[in-house]
Amino acid sequence: MKIIVIGKSGQLAWELSQLSTKENEILCLGRNEINIVSKHAILTTLKKHQTDVIINASAYTAVDQAESDKDNAYNINTTAVQNLAEACQELSLHLVHISTDFVFDGQKGSPYLPNDNIDPLGVYGASKAKGEQAITNIIPNNSCIIRTSWVYSTHGNNFVKTMLKLMASKPELGIISDQIGSPTYAKYLAKVCISAAINKVIGIHHWTDAGVASWYDFAVAIQELAIEKGLLEKPIVIKPIRTQEYPTPAERPSYSVLDKTSCSEAFPELPLIHWRTQLNNMMDNL
Ligand SMILES: NC(=O)c1ccc[n+]([C@@H]2O[C@H](COP(=O)([O-])OP(=O)(O)OC[C@H]3O[C@@H](n4cnc5c(N)ncnc54)[C@H](OP(=O)(O)O)[C@@H]3O)[C@@H](O)[C@H]2O)c1
């Protein structure tokens, strides 16, 4: 089987590229190889490759920048996704697409189910929500949307790597303790995407690592494990702070834990693993 991944240098795209095997060849197409803003270009490129499944790992992911760069965010997260869905419809391809916890407003107070109402707070979430809607309108029976959250990898920029840098250079950090979610190691998320592609899973599913955390909890765990592994020499002071003490251009959901119940049926071979275990695995791979 040949699986085409849209995206190449991103965290998830890179983890997907590492899973290529003889049986399941994975070909990642970066922005220089496919212009996802043009449906014509997508069709021309996809026709060159013998495949029947696409994983879209590309997105405009700069959450704060999206607030002042609305057109680009919508181009990549909505228009390009609609183009991909239309191309998949025309070529009879199955589409696996990745979305986000930021489609929710964070007010529910208990884990979000895949069919809960969406109500994004910012441009990034709204543009991703519109992308989801395009897929479910165009190819509801030939698509799988996997919503995830707080993604990190050894590759690319993310919270874990930023924390390690800051912890090595600052005496003290204030980290937000009133936003609750679930971290997700992209290496395992990539396996979920491959399973969705191979088995042509359909519908909306939620996937994150198991357990919940605040950004503060996550930072404390990063420091503990980094010291244990010799990645940091000594601990620094980490203080819990409230969201209003760290204003950002984009508002974020205060609670965005995703209910993953549907995954035990959709991906029975991939059990949920606690985020702290996954963080430990990622740090071993750093
Ligand atoms: N990061 C998170 O915390 C998080 C949380 C929830 C959901 N998600 C979702 O998970 C998925 C993967 O995220 P990620 O963390 O791997 O993202 P990432 O590291 O920011 O990578 C973004 C990817 O999108 C591609 N891309 C960006 N702009 C493009 C453009 N103009 N034209 C073509 N390609 C473009 C990049 O292409 P190149 O390879 O060519 O550079 C790259 O492969 C996304 O759908 C994201 O919305 C992420």
Side-chain angles (χ1 to χ4, degrees), residues 7-13 30-31 36 57-59 61 76 98-101 124 128 148-151:
K8 195 172 200 171
S9 67
Q11 300 191 85
L12 178 61
R31 67 188 76 195
I36 50 175
S58 71
T61 55
I76 302 303
I98 322 304
S99 193
T100 170
D101 56 331
Y124 167 71
K128 292 288 291 184
T148 188
S149 64
W150 298 22
V151 177

Side-chain angles (χ1 to χ4, degrees), residues 59-271:
Y60 184 108
T61 55
V63 175
D64 287 319
Q65 199 178 309
E67 295 298 311
S68 54
D69 192 19
K70 222 172 161 178
D71 288 352
N72 278 325
Y74 275 95
N75 269 343
I76 302 303
N77 293 343
T78 305
T79 311
V81 175
Q82 176 164 347
N83 289 340
L84 279 170
E86 285 172 359
C88 286
Q89 184 184 40
E90 226 167 295
L91 303 174
S92 300
L93 308 179
H94 189 81
L95 177 63
V96 176
H97 175 73
I98 322 304
S99 193
T100 170
D101 56 331
F102 279 28
V103 297
F104 297 115
D105 66 7
Q107 295 303 306
K108 188 181 175 194
S110 61
Y112 282 98
L113 292 157
N115 58 0
D116 275 339
N117 277 345
I118 56 174
D119 190 11
L121 298 173
V123 171
Y124 167 71
S127 62
K128 292 288 291 184
K130 284 235 154 79
E132 288 187 0
Q133 281 155 359
I135 292 174
T136 40
N137 286 340
I138 299 163
I139 42 168
N141 299 320
N142 274 314
S143 61
C144 173
I145 294 173
I146 300 170
R147 293 198 190 113
T148 188
S149 64
W150 298 22
V151 177
Y152 65 91
S153 157
T154 53
H155 182 90
N157 297 318
N158 54 63
F159 185 77
V160 179
K161 290 168 79 179
T162 303
M163 283 299 113
L164 290 174
K165 267 185 223 144
L166 292 174
M167 285 165 182
S169 59
K170 300 221 180 247
E172 186 178 306
L173 284 177
I175 306 291
I176 289 171
S177 61
D178 57 358
Q179 285 174 26
I180 308 295
S182 305
T184 305
Y185 185 16
K187 185 176 180 149
Y188 205 65
L189 173 65
K191 291 185 186 174
V192 175
C193 296
I194 298 291
S195 173
I198 292 172
N199 300 310
K200 307 248 165 69
V201 171
I202 60 167
I204 301 181
H205 299 278
H206 287 169
W207 181 274
T208 67
D209 291 329
V212 302
S214 67
W215 290 109
Y216 169 78
D217 297 327
F218 195 21
V220 169
I222 292 166
Q223 172 159 267
E224 276 174 15
L225 288 168
I227 287 174
E228 212 175 284
K229 292 174 192 302
L231 296 170
L232 289 172
E233 275 174 18
K234 55 177 182 10
I236 61 160
V237 176
I238 307 174
K239 283 189 179 163
I241 61 168
R242 299 183 69 80
T243 298
Q244 66 243 42
E245 291 173 73
Y246 187 75
T248 52
E251 196 184 340
R252 287 156 166 80
S254 58
Y255 177 95
S256 62
V257 177
L258 301 176
D259 184 300
K260 298 169 278 288
T261 311
S262 75
C263 286
S264 55
E265 239 177 67
F267 312 107
E269 76 285 15
L270 294 165

